[in-house]
């Protein structure tokens, strides 16, 4: 419970900061940005005190005090009465009585006082999509299994265990920088700030499931709202922003046509969508359909992507506002937000950087006061450099430098079968189909933004940024997101142009159906898969609790490399080698293969060989459970179990101490 109170405290702090920075905005916008600030403070702010105090209660107390001091400074600067009024106000500073030209500059409040967000959009757009995401999270993340234990859904069967391992190990071990729980002796290089946020709740007593779910619910709400606010900033149309929000979160492709075609020959082809593992219109690798639904395959299982988009959307909003308003305050705020991003989500930071690089020159060309313009960008860049450089040099570059798994040339992404344009047409669906007229009709400012997207697209098409080629989609989704907004702006233009044409409503319905059907079918299937796949049984859970209470936090365990690993994921203890799903794709492939082979030999060797091996590699405990016994590559020597000291057992699970 106390962990939830800590989280609520930072949400309040973030909202208070937002009220100061965005005095002129309405409560909807300030609430959104306040949530962003809260997560940025809790994810990035804890880093400095943790360097000196470890990831402990003390480091959180220091952050709590510092954030309160900043708030007191802002209150003193603004005046308590004015600041209190801002906190309680619904509409922000009124534009009533201002000249029309001045009122137009009030951001997302128009000259007439109309906000780009209202209660109808909140209730009938933002909340329903958020509830869909929340429902999927609830039955996908450590959901109670009908026969006991924990279960997941289809999309969280793999990635969830990695994030659980990061969350529990950061909180349990208290080391900072954190250890890489899936490969003992290595430090964490994977972007972990969003998992560290859940570690804060877990540290203060929140059960693991709710330490993951509660911030995920809030981030989902902010993410959906953020897409709407950004779409409105790009299009300046409520209708286009609503449409873009629906299309993005229900995004799919023309994959549904493959099922309709197959149903003609086999009546079960369509029903397979709802029953089989990864047989949906957005997951058809055999047909080269590779554009996954954002909710099911990007937000629910990939917490770093969710957090990356959470930061990217307001950062891009601030960038678009800064280059138009020329407000130094916006450049400074943008710098502070962007500086947090490298270890939240490196791909989103990279994408934002590419857009910034292009837009700097695009707007410099027509800028009259170039000196002031360059100074603003230097201030922005300086803030980002101070905040981001330590993250990049300590974590990111250590992972990629000299590692041949990163930064390789590869053209045409994951398209191995189709003509180039056809691949994107069938994967990006209506966004690709109507891209040409939409870009042609786009405003001058949006063309500059799209030029930045073109830079990202070209980079992702020619450079493989990580060992898993598919993960370049994290850059492509940024391009898709922005292009979709421009296309939706064009849709609304065409809707107005066709107002006297009969059948306009049917045409609009056809476009909406084509843009959302594959995504909707995938979401239905994903919801049906919830809590179907048991990942940990009662013995796993009991054993994890024993390990947390009775073994040193820095103990190292020898286990199988199965990704369903209660020692790492539930107990937060480092293991000698974990699953290739994580270790290999985090750029440690050579070390993974070497250790996996050594682990298999150790289990099958003599007692003397095993104990010597464990001492050489700093292994304190040997874990033998169902995963180890069922692994065909592991032949457990009975001499080991007879002579090692049995520490504890639960059903088939047993822990042995290395003497």
């Amino acid at each position: 419970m106390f962990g939830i109170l800590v989280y609520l405290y930072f949400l309040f702090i973030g909202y208070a900061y937002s009220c100061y920075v965005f005095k002129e905005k309405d409560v909807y916008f300030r609430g959104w940005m306040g949530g962003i600030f809260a997560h940025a403070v809790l994810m990035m702010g804890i880093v400095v005190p943790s360097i000196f105090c470890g990831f402990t209660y003390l480091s959180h107390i220091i952050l709590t005090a510092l954030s309160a001091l900043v708030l007191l400074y802002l209150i003193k600067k603004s005046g308590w009465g004015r600041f209190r009024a801002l906190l309680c106000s619904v509409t922000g500073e009124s534009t009533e009585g201002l000249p029309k030209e001045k009122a137009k500059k009030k951001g997302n409040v128009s000259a007439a006082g109309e906000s780009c967000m209202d209660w109808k959009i909140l209730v009938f757009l933002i909340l329903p999509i958020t509830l869909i995401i929340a429902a999927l999270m609830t039955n996908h993340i450590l959901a109670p299994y009908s026969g006991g234990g924990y279960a997941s859904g289809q999309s969280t069967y793999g990635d969830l265990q990695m994030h659980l391992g990061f969350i529990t190990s950061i909180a349990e071990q208290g080391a900072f920088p954190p250890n890489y729980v899936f490969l003992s002796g290595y430090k964490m290089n994977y972007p972990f700030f969003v998992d560290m946020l859940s570690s804060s709740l877990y540290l203060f007593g929140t059960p693991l499931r709710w330490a993951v779910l509660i911030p995920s619910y809030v981030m989902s709400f902010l993410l959906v709202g953020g897409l709407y606010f950004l779409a409105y900033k790009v299009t300046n149309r409520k209708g286009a922003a609503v449409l873009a929000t629906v299309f993005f979160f229900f995004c799919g492709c023309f994959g549904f046509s493959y099922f309709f075609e197959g149903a003609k020959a086999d009546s079960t082809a369509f029903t397979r969508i709802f029953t089989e593992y990864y047989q949906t219109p957005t997951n058809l690798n055999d047909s080269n359909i590779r554009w996954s639904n954002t909710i099911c395959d990007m937000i629910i299982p990939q917490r770093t992507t969710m957090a990356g988009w959470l930061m990217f959307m307001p950062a891009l909003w601030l960038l678009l506002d800064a280059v138009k308003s020329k407000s130094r305050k916006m450049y400074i705020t943008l710098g502070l937000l962007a500086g947090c991003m490298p270890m939240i989500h490196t791909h989103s930071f990279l994408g934002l950087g590419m857009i910034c690089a292009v837009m700097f020159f695009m707007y410099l060309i027509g800028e009259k006061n170039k000196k002031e313009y360059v100074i603003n960008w230097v201030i922005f860049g300086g803030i980002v450099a101070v905040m981001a450089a330590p993250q990049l040099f300590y974590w990111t570059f250590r992972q990629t430098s000299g590692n041949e798994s990163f930064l390789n040339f590869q053209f045409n992404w994951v398209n191995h079968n189709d003509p180039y344009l056809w691949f994107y047409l069938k994967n990006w669906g209506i966004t690709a189909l109507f891209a040409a007229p939409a870009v042609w009709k786009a405003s001058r400012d949006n063309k500059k933004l799209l030029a930045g997207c073109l830079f990202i697209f070209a980079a992702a098409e020619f450079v493989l940024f990580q060992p898993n080629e598919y993960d370049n989609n994290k850059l492509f989704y940024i391009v898709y997101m922005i292009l979709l907004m421009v296309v939706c702006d064009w849709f609304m233009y065409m809707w107005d142009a066709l107002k006297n044409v009969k059948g306009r409503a049917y045409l609009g319905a056809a476009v909406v159906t084509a843009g959302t059907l594959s995504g909707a079918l995938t979401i239905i299937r994903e919801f049906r898969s919830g809590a179907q796949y048991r990942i940990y049984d009662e013995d796993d859970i009991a054993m994890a609790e024993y390990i947390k209470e009775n073994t040193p936090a820095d103990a190292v365990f020898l286990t199988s490399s199965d990704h369903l690993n209660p020692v790492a994921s539930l107990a937060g203890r480092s293991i000698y080698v974990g699953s290739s799903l994580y270790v290999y794709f985090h750029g440690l492939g050579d070390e993974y293969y070497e250790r996996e082979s050594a682990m298999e030999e150790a289990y099958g060797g003599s007692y003397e060989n095993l104990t010597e091996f464990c001492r050489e590699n700093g292994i304190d405990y040997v874990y033998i459970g169902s995963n180890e016994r069922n692994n065909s590559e592991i032949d457990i020597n009975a001499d080991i179990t007879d002579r090692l000291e049995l520490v504890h057992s639960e059903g088939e699970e047993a822990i042995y101490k290395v003497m």
Side-chain angles (χ1 to χ4, degrees), residues 282-283 285 289-293 297-298 302 410 413-414 464 466-474 476-477:
T282 59
N283 301 107
N285 290 3
I289 295 293
R290 305 301 303 275
W291 199 246
S292 301
N293 174 257
D297 295 297
M298 303 303 294
Q302 301 190 45
Q410 178 176 304
W413 188 33
V414 293
L464 189 62
Q466 63 290 305
N468 185 357
E469 64 176 0
Y470 188 65
D471 278 352
N472 266 22
N473 67 350
K474 295 174 177 64
F476 283 114
Y477 270 104

Side-chain angles (χ1 to χ4, degrees), residues 26 28 108 115-119 121-122 126 225 228-229 238:
D26 63 22
Y28 300 110
N108 75 314
S115 169
C116 74
M117 172 76 78
D118 56 44
W119 71 268
I121 292 173
L122 178 67
I126 309 299
Y228 174 84
F229 278 117
K238 281 187 178 180

Side-chain angles (χ1 to χ4, degrees), residues 308-385:
W309 290 351
L310 183 76
M311 295 294 127
F312 174 83
M313 291 176 187
L316 185 57
W317 190 99
L318 288 166
L319 174 64
L320 297 177
D321 189 81
V323 295
K324 295 296 291 182
S325 68
K326 304 175 185 178
S327 166
R328 183 160 295 175
K329 182 173 70 173
M330 291 299 103
Y331 279 104
I332 292 172
T333 307
L334 170 61
L336 292 171
L337 201 60
C340 298
M341 290 177 63
M343 288 306 288
I344 294 176
H345 192 227
T346 312
H347 287 86
S348 292
F349 177 73
L350 177 60
L352 178 66
M354 291 181 183
I355 291 175
C356 287
V358 172
M359 292 188 69
F360 169 78
F361 292 105
M362 286 284 188
Y363 280 92
L364 177 64
I365 295 171
E367 178 59 46
K368 294 181 180 178
N369 189 348
K370 287 183 170 54
K371 179 180 178 181
E372 185 72 12
Y373 176 82
V374 171
I375 289 174
N376 284 333
W377 276 88
V378 169
I379 292 172
F380 156 59
I383 294 171
V384 174

